[in-house]
Amino acid sequence: MEQPRGILHKTTLESTTLQQTTFHTTTIAGNKRLYGDIAGSEQQPPTSKRTIEFQKASASAKETPGLTASIIESVDSDAPSHNSEYSQRRVVSATPTSTVDRSLLLSFPRYGLSSSLVHNLKTLGIKEIYPWQKQCLLGPGLLDGTKNLVYTAPTGGGKSLVADILMLKRVLEDSDSKALLVLPYVALVQEKVRWLRNVVQGIQRRSPSKKTPEKERDSLWQRRFDEDTVRVVGFFGGGKVRATWADFDIAVCTFEKANTLINTAIDDCTITKLRAVVLDELHMLDDDHRGYLIELIATKLLSLEHGVQIVGMSATLANIGVLSQWLDAHIYSTLYRPVPIEEHLVHEGKIYPASSTTSLLQTASQLALDLNGSQLQNHPVRVVQPSLHKEFKDPVLNAVVALATETARSGYGALVFCNSRSMFKVFRSFVSALSSLPFQTRNHHGCEFDARLISRTLRDTSHLDSTILEKRLDLLADLRSLSTGLDPSLAETIPFGVAFHHAGLTTEERDLIADGYDSGILKVLVATCSLAAGINLPARRVILHNARMGRDLVGPSMLRQMRGRAGRKGKDEIGETYLCCRKADLKDVIELMRAELPQISSGLTTDKHRIQRALLEVIAIRLASSSYTIDDYIQRTLLSHTASDVIEAHVESSLQDLIKMGFIQSDEPTVYVATQLGRAVVASSLEPEDGAFIHREMQRALRAFVMDGEMHVLYMFTPVHDLSGTINWQVFRSEMEGLDDSGLRVMTFLGLKPTQVNKMAQGGSLRETTPEEKETARIYRRFYLALQLRDLCNEMPIHVVSHKYDMPRGTVQNLVQTCQGFAAGMIKFCEQMNWGAMAAILNHFSDRLNAGAKSDLLALAKITFIKSRTARVFYENGLKTVAAIANADAQELVPILIQAQPSKLRLKSKDEQKYEEKLLAKAKVIAESANRLWQMEMMQQVYEE
């Protein structure tokens, strides 16, 4: 019997499909029984599969109908085929055997790798290296560490292994040596830490000067249990860990943390232990916001007296020769990919092949000249048939959905890179439907909208293995168990193997989704363009839904990053890319494809204050103190190789500005010394301009600090630089009206006027023309963020704060992490200025922000999985101490965890049992964590007695 369709009508195609398709009785993830969406499917015998896993008690019975993806038909074409510029595999063997060349074995004596390292790499699936990797490693002075290296290879071509081998050789050849691996994003840092820990697992390195067992027994200090191992530690924003070189052997860092580590090591003279530094994504030197940090890191390393091997790599480097001259490095470049890529241009529903970039460009140019295609030399090989569904009237969307659905049904993975802004204009008719969704969906509706439509074409899961369906429901359960609950759009898409990935999701959500896709549980992942550079998730087919990021075209480097995700070594024999182009964008796409990769230049010239920071840092850490040593340092910058004509004037004016701001002083004409304030700015990793602003704010606060509330101290460690998101002035006014006397006094003290807030809430504008107006606007923004921090510190969950302030929950979480990193810098600033009391206050509130709780829950919040609301629920159920939780049975913790869930669930009997098993596993982790903390507390008490 046909299921009720509500007020939604059936299309002609759907009616035909219903007549030709049999029904299956499997109920999947909160959806009623749906008809199959492939006409002519064979009768399937009834199978016993898992039924609904979860459903919110408040969920309504409404559900969106299934859709049918358009058919993609092949077209006979006599167009000649050419080898792709990436597909060298067709000419050269991609994985040569040891019988061809023994030097491709990692155990080849010339590489000098230990047998344990070779064994670990073999266990991880790396038995041999590619010919280009061999040629690169055998370059002059690389294996012995006497020469630097700059190299480029396509995404997925194995470039990371070369840097890993060189770095590990430096670390393993000397027990005291250290290495840094510098990456741009936190997700990449976390992924690389996991990889390297697996690589070095079980590898022992003992120093020749180790003590004898008798001396070790007589020694006053006990040896570290991990002293003989290779310790890999990740450093990124948000942590208060003050690491020294004794805490790690390999540090995997973001740009900011690497710069701080190097500054500290130079200042305390422990930098001599550093032997290797790997700079990944070297093309980001040209990044307007953070690229200059790479230049500061490399220039300081080049200025050291002892040798540090610098290895720089990227998939998109244009002027590699200039970088080689700057770093005094050997060059290697390759276009080799182990998995070839077939590239296509999709225009008006027609798929044109491009066996080379030149051919793809030629096709696009011909289409621009002859949109009817009557005289095309490169003819389409496939055609996406028009759809009868109104949702797929747009030919680009229709092609994207058809290509993604085809990939998933074939059992392969597809990555869809989507424009998160411009989609709204295309689907203006669906605004009313989107307006009923949560803010996060509306804000990233392009990404989520695509995912929801694709999932509606994959409703028929009768052909899938029951294990896959089980794992998808387990993924839903994992997402639901998070403190933010289950996103309703993910609940709709994941049961059918589709998900989305964007900055509006929390870190935990993004990690679970990425793991689900990487393991094959999910078949289609719709992501914003930032995913191309953020994490390593290759796919059989990469589909670009338009070539824009917001209103602007993606850059040539980003386009290569996205296309380079196609092809998964070991799983795919080939990779496919499809650039779906709108008619109006065709000329822009042609220009994009003709564009060369941007020339890398120094980031120090884009803003004079960055030269100020470079000079202040080297003076504060005593790497340079005289005019001669400063000139020598500047000559080692990339700036001296790309814009030498502007250096002298910028350096002189920057030194004078630093003197005026009180950061440095010059007792003699050519000698410079950092002041206490200058050292505090460097220790806190602030820009000079931001440091001056913070100093003024702190001085004013020390004269009259509002101590009878939380707003003033929370305002003090709100980041001074601009964060994503704007002020919702209606929310600002509502929160201002609810402030107590203490909060209002803070507003008055900071110079914020309620009348101005009311004016802005009624549609006014905040002027930011003069320096004074810009500083005032910055104070308003910081106070608005401080209101959010106040709620978070008082146990309001992230998803509630997200809804209250009309911001994506991922943005709120990022605010928390950023504020924790900024607070750590502010604490160092106060300590350098000898403001110990202020440092202690900031440290306490930093702990509260990290815990998302009030002061009485800070001890419980140290336990794994115990944060914010969960900690409060444990506390209210009588488990008020770490010892109480440590002595509780894990089974007793399950009902408390259920009580702590963000929403009440309605579960069926089998699902309830499965869900309780997951919570029991979580409870065991909590109990083990509490036991470890309790033991540490007991040991501390013994030592104190």
Side-chain angles (χ1 to χ4, degrees):
M1 180 176 179
E2 181 182 347
Q3 70 174 39
R5 300 296 297 274
I7 63 173
L8 297 175
H9 68 280
K10 288 197 305 290
T11 65
T12 305
L13 180 60
E14 290 173 1
S15 299
T16 304
T17 304
L18 281 171
Q19 296 173 4
Q20 298 177 352
T21 308
T22 58
F23 292 91
H24 61 83
T25 59
T26 305
T27 309
I28 300 295
N31 290 278
K32 297 179 181 178
R33 291 191 296 270
L34 300 171
Y35 58 91
D37 54 4
I38 304 178
S41 60
E42 298 180 0
Q43 176 77 23
Q44 297 289 335
T47 57
S48 176
K49 293 188 178 180
R50 191 172 178 180
T51 56
I52 298 177
E53 179 78 4
F54 301 107
Q55 185 175 355
K56 286 188 176 181
S58 60
S60 65
K62 295 188 299 181
E63 61 181 50
T64 55
L67 299 172
T68 302
S70 294
I71 298 174
I72 306 177
E73 295 182 344
S74 298
V75 177
D76 292 334
S77 177
D78 299 328
S81 177
H82 305 282
N83 285 340
S84 167
E85 65 180 30
Y86 294 116
S87 58
Q88 298 179 26
R89 179 179 179 180
R90 298 177 179 176
V91 182
V92 181
S93 176
T95 311
T97 63
S98 58
T99 58
V100 176
D101 187 351
R102 291 186 58 82
S103 62
L104 297 178
L105 294 172
L106 288 170
S107 57
F108 188 63
R110 183 103 178 255
Y111 302 135
L113 303 181
S114 66
S115 58
S116 54
L117 177 58
V118 173
H119 176 267
N120 285 356
L121 290 172
K122 184 177 180 180
T123 302
L124 295 170
I126 303 175
K127 301 177 182 179
E128 300 172 344
I129 60 177
Y130 301 129
W132 81 262
Q133 293 171 325
K134 178 197 75 172
Q135 296 170 5
C136 183
L137 286 170
L138 296 179
L142 296 182
L143 289 174
D144 61 11
T146 58
K147 187 71 173 178
N148 297 332
L149 171 66
V150 175
Y151 66 105
T152 176
T155 301
K159 63 179 181 295
S160 296
L161 181 60
V162 172
D164 290 348
I165 289 176
L166 294 177
M167 178 181 65
L168 289 168
K169 278 185 65 64
R170 302 288 81 78
V171 171
L172 293 175
E173 66 189 8
D174 184 354
S175 61
D176 290 330
S177 62
K178 311 293 180 183
L180 297 183
L181 175 54
V182 186
L183 294 160
Y185 305 114
V186 172
L188 290 177
V189 170
Q190 294 171 329
E191 180 183 21
K192 195 67 179 183
V193 167
R194 290 192 292 267
W195 163 258
L196 286 175
R197 284 178 177 171
N198 289 328
V199 171
V200 302
Q201 185 177 12
I203 296 179
Q204 299 289 321
R205 57 172 195 170
R206 296 191 64 88
S207 173
S209 60
K210 291 292 181 184
K211 297 179 180 179
T212 63
E214 293 78 9
K215 290 184 177 180
E216 288 183 354
R217 286 196 301 267
D218 296 336
S219 176
L220 179 63
W221 303 105
Q222 186 177 5
R223 290 178 62 248
R224 293 176 58 129
F225 72 94
D226 58 353
E227 187 174 343
D228 297 331
T229 63
V230 180
R231 294 159 295 169
V232 181
V233 180
F235 296 97
F236 43 88
K240 296 194 300 179
V241 178
R242 301 182 184 182
T244 64
W245 293 114
D247 298 317
F248 64 85
D249 301 305
I250 299 176
V252 187
C253 323
T254 56
F255 296 160
E256 293 79 7
K257 288 296 183 180
N259 190 52
T260 300
L261 278 172
I262 290 174
N263 284 342
T264 303
I266 293 176
D267 193 31
D268 61 18
C269 300
T270 57
I271 194 67
T272 54
K273 296 182 179 180
L274 185 62
R275 288 290 180 267
V277 173
V278 176
L279 303 173
D280 202 352
E281 308 294 348
L282 192 58
H283 65 275
M284 288 193 68
L285 271 164
D286 215 22
D287 183 76
D288 289 339
H289 303 288
R290 305 167 65 215
Y292 75 101
L293 290 171
I294 308 177
E295 186 171 355
L296 296 186
I297 292 169
T299 304
K300 280 178 278 199
L301 296 175
L302 293 171
S303 302
L304 298 175
E305 294 182 356
H306 77 283
V308 177
Q309 186 175 35
I310 302 175
V311 179
M313 59 176 167
S314 173
T316 53
L317 285 179
N319 51 336
I320 190 172
V322 174
L323 300 179
S324 171
Q325 294 176 7
W326 171 45
L327 297 175
D328 188 24
H330 174 67
I331 298 178
Y332 191 89
S333 181
T334 182
L335 296 175
Y336 179 81
R337 278 186 59 96
V339 178
I341 292 181
E342 289 185 354
E343 298 176 293
H344 306 82
L345 176 66
V346 184
H347 179 262
E348 294 295 302
K350 297 180 177 63
I351 301 175
Y352 297 89
S355 53
S356 68
T357 299
T358 303
S359 177
L360 183 59
L361 180 59
Q362 183 182 16
T363 300
S365 301
Q366 292 171 351
L367 287 171
L369 294 174
D370 183 8
L371 296 177
N372 295 322
S374 58
Q375 299 178 350
L376 285 179
Q377 297 178 4
N378 203 1
H379 298 280
V381 292
R382 305 177 75 197
V383 175
V384 182
Q385 295 299 319
S387 175
L388 297 178
H389 295 298
K390 64 179 181 179
E391 291 88 346
F392 298 148
K393 289 299 182 183
D394 177 66
V396 173
L397 176 62
N398 186 42
V400 168
V401 174
L403 288 167
T405 303
E406 181 185 58
T407 312
R409 286 177 175 164
S410 301
Y412 296 106
L415 270 179
V416 180
F417 289 111
C418 179
N419 185 332
S420 63
R421 297 181 185 176
S422 62
M423 295 295 293
F424 182 77
K425 296 181 180 179
V426 178
F427 303 108
R428 188 171 296 174
S429 61
F430 301 108
V431 171
S432 59
L434 288 171
S435 63
S436 63
L437 296 174
F439 171 82
Q440 293 86 344
T441 303
R442 301 200 306 272
N443 192 43
H444 294 273
H445 54 75
C447 191
E448 300 187 18
F449 192 84
D450 278 14
R452 295 171 70 217
L453 286 180
I454 294 170
S455 70
R456 289 171 64 183
T457 66
L458 295 171
R459 293 285 175 87
D460 182 11
T461 59
S462 58
H463 62 286
L464 295 178
D465 186 87
S466 59
T467 305
I468 294 294
L469 300 178
E470 191 85 9
K471 290 181 178 179
R472 289 178 183 175
L473 297 177
D474 286 342
L475 175 58
L476 279 175
D478 290 336
L479 288 167
R480 191 183 296 275
S481 67
L482 297 177
S483 60
T484 53
L486 177 60
D487 182 277
S489 294
L490 288 174
E492 179 182 343
T493 62
I494 285 179
F496 309 109
V498 184
F500 47 84
H501 188 291
H502 55 62
L505 301 176
T506 64
T507 302
E508 294 79 12
E509 289 174 317
R510 294 197 298 267
D511 288 345
L512 286 172
I513 290 170
D515 290 342
Y517 175 79
D518 198 41
S519 62
I521 298 173
L522 303 174
K523 293 299 182 183
V524 180
L525 186 60
V526 187
T528 52
C529 298
S530 60
L531 176 66
I535 53 178
N536 181 27
L537 286 179
R540 169 63 175 261
R541 180 175 287 179
V542 170
I543 305 166
L544 278 66
H545 190 154
N546 210 345
R548 292 187 178 272
M549 182 186 295
R551 297 181 179 179
D552 302 324
L553 286 173
V554 298
S557 297
M558 180 62 73
L559 182 62
R560 280 204 187 187
Q561 292 273 10
M562 290 188 288
R563 287 156 59 184
R565 294 297 175 198
R568 186 190 299 242
K569 184 180 180 299
K571 295 187 178 180
D572 300 320
E573 299 81 13
I574 198 170
E576 302 171 358
T577 66
Y578 292 83
L579 174 54
C580 300
C581 176
R582 299 190 182 283
K583 183 185 297 185
D585 289 336
L586 190 56
K587 291 183 179 179
D588 293 331
V589 169
I590 293 174
E591 293 179 1
L592 171 64
M593 299 174 68
R594 284 176 176 165
E596 298 290 338
L597 289 173
Q599 299 288 306
I600 304 297
S601 60
S602 172
L604 296 179
T605 56
T606 57
D607 189 339
K608 195 173 78 170
H609 299 304
R610 288 170 179 170
I611 296 184
Q612 289 182 4
R613 176 168 180 175
L615 295 173
L616 178 58
E617 283 189 355
V618 295
I619 293 173
I621 64 178
R622 297 167 292 176
L623 187 62
S625 58
S626 65
S627 297
Y628 173 78
T629 53
I630 290 174
D631 289 341
D632 180 70
Y633 170 80
I634 292 296
Q635 290 303 314
R636 298 177 188 271
T637 62
L638 178 60
L639 178 63
S640 66
H641 290 77
T642 58
S644 57
D645 54 329
V646 301
I647 293 179
E648 186 175 351
H650 278 190
V651 169
E652 185 59 34
S653 61
S654 295
L655 288 171
Q656 294 304 315
D657 288 341
L658 291 173
I659 293 175
K660 291 178 182 178
M661 288 188 287
F663 295 150
I664 64 174
Q665 58 188 19
S666 179
D667 297 331
E668 301 178 19
T670 59
V671 177
Y672 301 94
V673 179
T675 63
Q676 182 184 31
L677 176 59
R679 291 192 298 272
V681 170
V682 172
S684 56
S685 302
L686 291 170
E687 298 284 343
E689 183 181 14
D690 292 339
F693 174 79
I694 285 294
H695 186 236
R696 292 193 298 270
E697 292 280 284
M698 295 294 291
Q699 283 187 317
R700 184 167 56 176
L702 290 171
R703 289 194 296 268
F705 199 80
V706 181
M707 294 292 294
D708 59 342
E710 303 171 336
M711 286 305 302
H712 204 167
V713 64
L714 289 172
Y715 170 84
M716 292 312 301
F717 68 64
T718 303
V720 294
H721 53 272
D722 291 334
L723 295 174
S724 58
T726 57
I727 296 177
N728 185 319
W729 290 100
Q730 287 79 17
V731 175
F732 197 149
R733 178 175 60 184
S734 175
E735 292 303 300
M736 179 188 68
E737 292 172 349
L739 288 175
D740 57 14
D741 291 340
S742 173
L744 292 174
R745 274 188 281 115
V746 174
M747 285 192 65
T748 303
F749 179 76
L750 296 174
L752 304 182
K753 301 177 181 178
T755 54
Q756 179 68 30
V757 175
N758 289 326
K759 177 182 176 182
M760 296 300 299
Q762 296 171 5
S765 59
L766 194 63
R767 298 181 59 183
E768 297 185 54
T769 53
T770 66
E772 293 76 14
E773 289 173 344
K774 291 180 179 178
E775 183 159 322
T776 300
R778 187 193 301 199
I779 295 174
Y780 275 104
R781 293 191 188 97
R782 291 186 71 198
F783 193 83
Y784 183 69
L785 295 178
L787 291 171
Q788 299 175 44
L789 298 184
R790 174 204 59 185
D791 291 339
L792 291 166
C793 284
N794 286 283
E795 302 168 23
M796 184 179 289
I798 286 179
H799 66 284
V800 178
V801 175
S802 166
H803 179 76
K804 179 179 180 180
Y805 291 91
D806 201 23
M807 296 174 65
R809 56 187 179 275
T811 304
V812 176
Q813 186 187 57
N814 182 61
L815 170 65
V816 174
Q817 296 169 348
T818 303
C819 286
Q820 288 172 1
F822 184 75
M826 288 295 298
I827 292 169
K828 293 178 182 177
F829 184 93
C830 293
E831 290 174 346
Q832 285 285 339
M833 297 298 295
N834 295 324
W835 298 337
M838 180 65 72
I841 295 173
L842 292 174
N843 190 52
H844 172 75
F845 274 86
S846 178
D847 290 338
R848 282 189 56 187
L849 183 61
N850 182 50
K854 297 180 180 179
S855 301
D856 58 339
L857 299 181
L858 290 181
L860 291 184
K862 295 178 181 179
I863 303 173
T864 305
F865 294 138
I866 303 295
K867 301 288 182 184
S868 191
R869 169 176 164 76
T870 306
R872 181 58 63 188
V873 172
F874 271 75
Y875 191 90
E876 291 176 349
N877 278 273
L879 300 175
K880 299 184 178 183
T881 63
V882 174
I885 297 178
N887 290 304
D889 185 81
Q891 195 72 46
E892 299 173 2
L893 304 181
V894 173
I896 302 177
L897 289 175
I898 293 177
Q899 184 182 346
Q901 292 304 301
S903 56
K904 304 303 177 186
L905 306 176
R906 182 175 59 196
L907 299 88
K908 295 190 176 181
S909 57
K910 293 183 179 178
D911 300 324
E912 184 175 4
Q913 180 181 356
K914 184 70 175 180
Y915 184 57
E916 288 185 357
E917 289 176 0
K918 283 184 171 292
L919 290 182
L920 179 59
K922 191 173 184 178
K924 290 179 179 178
V925 174
I926 291 173
E928 291 174 0
S929 175
N931 266 294
R932 288 194 300 269
L933 289 172
W934 186 41
Q935 290 175 10
M936 293 173 61
E937 291 178 1
M938 297 296 292
M939 291 176 63
Q940 184 67 28
Q941 292 178 6
V942 171
Y943 289 143
E944 290 178 354
E945 293 175 357

